Amino acid sequence: MDSRSIWVRVPGTSANCGPGFDSIGLACTVYNDLQLKLTEEPGCKITISGAGAENIPCDERNIVWQSIQYVLKKAHMEDTYKGAVIHMENNVPLSRGLGSSATAIVAGLKGANALLNNRFTRKELLQFATAIEGHPDNVAPAIYGGFTISATTRGDVECFTLIPKMRLKLVVAVPDFPLSTKKAREVLPKEVSMQDAINNISRAAMMTAALCKGNEKFLRNVFDDALHQPYRASLIPGMYDVFGAAKKAGALGASLSGAGPCLIAYCLQRRHVEEAVGQAMKETFAQHGVNADILIMDLDTRGAHIMNDK
């Protein structure tokens, strides 16, 4: 019986990417690590360190453990492996819009699958992760890395991955308050206007084309959104002012990261404006009574992977 212990590293993610609501995401260079050992004995031992450790359950409610069980059941191995020893080392902020739940889901799936000698493909893991998470825009980049564009057709998730032709720096302002995805979803309308739908379709298409071609000038106005950001602005003091400050300091544009409250600015690496952009975002948030930390990251291009050594 396999008694190996393995380490999995999963990148944090930013979903929506401006106009790509529930469809476009990216992976960034902040990581959660998982050490996993499957056991024949029932029961799960979970230890957690790092970001949000005090707020993550260490029992049957733990999403990593639930994801491991999902894979075991799909492989018909749940009677062989009835328990696990799990250690989580987290750097992705919890409930901030950087895909903390997606990293947990993908880590559990990837780790369990590796210990089952990679029974399932990455595309199959994407189906599993989407079934658990409810939508693919965060889990897809966590699995594949890069920018991902996802679509679901009759329950089947397809994912296109791209690495932009230009090098980007991602500047994320992390406010000192959490925002649950559930709360952020509750403020969204049931219907939107044709004009708002066209706004997002045109910009999402233009953003994808510009990233693929490396055409910087077409990225100037593509991050504007009409489907979710206007409705979530009331939950994040100063959101639009922070966007404006980031762009004035040299960013191509800025948007909500996922459901927020993190805000992400997209900068060209060759312009070396990321420090100034981060400072501008931090100062503008402070003017609205919000303390924010700044993360300056690159695009992760590898996605979830097994580490031989830790």
Side-chain angles (χ1 to χ4, degrees):
M1 198 64 66
D2 196 339
S3 61
R4 288 180 299 155
S5 175
I6 61 165
W7 282 95
V8 186
R9 173 160 287 177
V10 185
T13 62
S14 181
N16 301 324
C17 297
F21 183 62
D22 273 7
S23 57
I24 300 178
L26 63 82
C28 47
T29 52
V30 58
Y31 300 96
N32 283 353
D33 294 344
L34 168 71
Q35 185 181 32
L36 173 64
K37 179 180 178 181
L38 299 176
T39 65
E40 294 177 311
E41 299 77 27
C44 187
K45 180 182 178 182
I46 302 174
T47 55
I48 306 169
S49 64
E54 65 279 4
N55 296 314
I56 300 173
C58 291
D59 54 24
E60 295 288 331
R61 297 171 296 161
N62 186 279
I63 193 68
V64 171
W65 174 228
Q66 291 177 8
S67 301
I68 292 165
Q69 290 177 301
Y70 192 101
V71 169
L72 292 174
K73 288 175 182 175
K74 285 289 184 180
H76 307 293
M77 297 290 284
E78 68 270 29
D79 292 331
T80 302
Y81 295 115
K82 299 177 182 177
V85 179
I86 294 169
H87 176 63
M88 303 163 61
E89 294 183 0
N90 294 344
N91 294 296
V92 178
L94 194 66
S95 298
R96 294 297 198 278
L98 284 175
S100 57
S101 65
T103 64
I105 292 167
V106 171
L109 296 175
K110 184 80 173 181
N113 189 50
L115 290 174
L116 297 178
N117 297 314
N118 294 311
R119 182 80 57 91
F120 303 104
T121 66
R122 284 203 298 183
K123 183 176 180 182
E124 288 173 312
L125 294 184
L126 175 60
Q127 310 300 318
F128 300 164
T130 302
I132 298 169
E133 175 84 339
H135 39 87
D137 52 326
N138 266 314
V139 294
I143 293 171
Y144 290 99
F147 276 84
T148 57
I149 300 96
S150 302
T152 304
T153 305
R154 293 181 291 278
D156 181 62
V157 184
E158 293 182 300
C159 174
F160 179 86
T161 306
L162 70 90
I163 306 300
K165 284 290 183 69
M166 74 284 283
R167 293 184 68 86
L168 296 175
K169 282 289 184 180
L170 308 169
V171 183
V172 179
V174 186
D176 61 356
F177 63 89
L179 177 59
S180 72
T181 301
K182 183 176 182 293
K183 185 176 180 181
R185 288 263 172 191
E186 287 173 350
V187 301
L188 300 182
K190 299 296 183 185
E191 297 179 353
V192 297
S193 70
M194 179 69 76
Q195 181 179 352
D196 288 346
I198 293 170
N199 173 89
N200 278 53
I201 292 168
S202 60
R203 282 168 171 76
M206 185 170 286
M207 178 175 71
T208 303
L211 291 171
C212 286
K213 287 285 191 179
N215 199 322
E216 299 165 7
K217 72 176 183 178
F218 287 105
L219 292 174
R220 290 291 169 193
N221 299 303
V222 299
F223 298 102
D224 294 340
D225 163 81
L227 299 186
H228 73 110
Q229 290 183 170
Y231 308 100
R232 290 168 168 170
S234 62
L235 304 175
I236 305 161
M239 184 184 82
Y240 283 112
D241 287 343
V242 176
F243 290 169
K247 199 163 183 179
K248 186 176 180 181
L252 291 167
S255 66
L256 259 178
S257 182
C262 281
L263 306 184
I264 182 169
Y266 308 84
C267 305
L268 292 171
Q269 180 175 292
R270 65 178 177 80
R271 292 196 171 167
H272 306 290
V273 297
E274 57 270 17
E275 296 287 349
V277 169
Q279 187 62 29
M281 295 174 79
K282 185 179 181 70
E283 290 176 356
T284 306
F285 253 141
Q287 293 168 12
H288 291 270
V290 176
N291 182 50
D293 293 326
I294 301 298
L295 298 176
I296 297 177
M297 299 179 287
D298 297 309
L299 185 72
D300 172 89
T301 58
R302 189 173 182 183
H305 60 278
I306 304 301
M307 297 186 292
N308 294 326
D309 299 300
K310 179 74 169 77

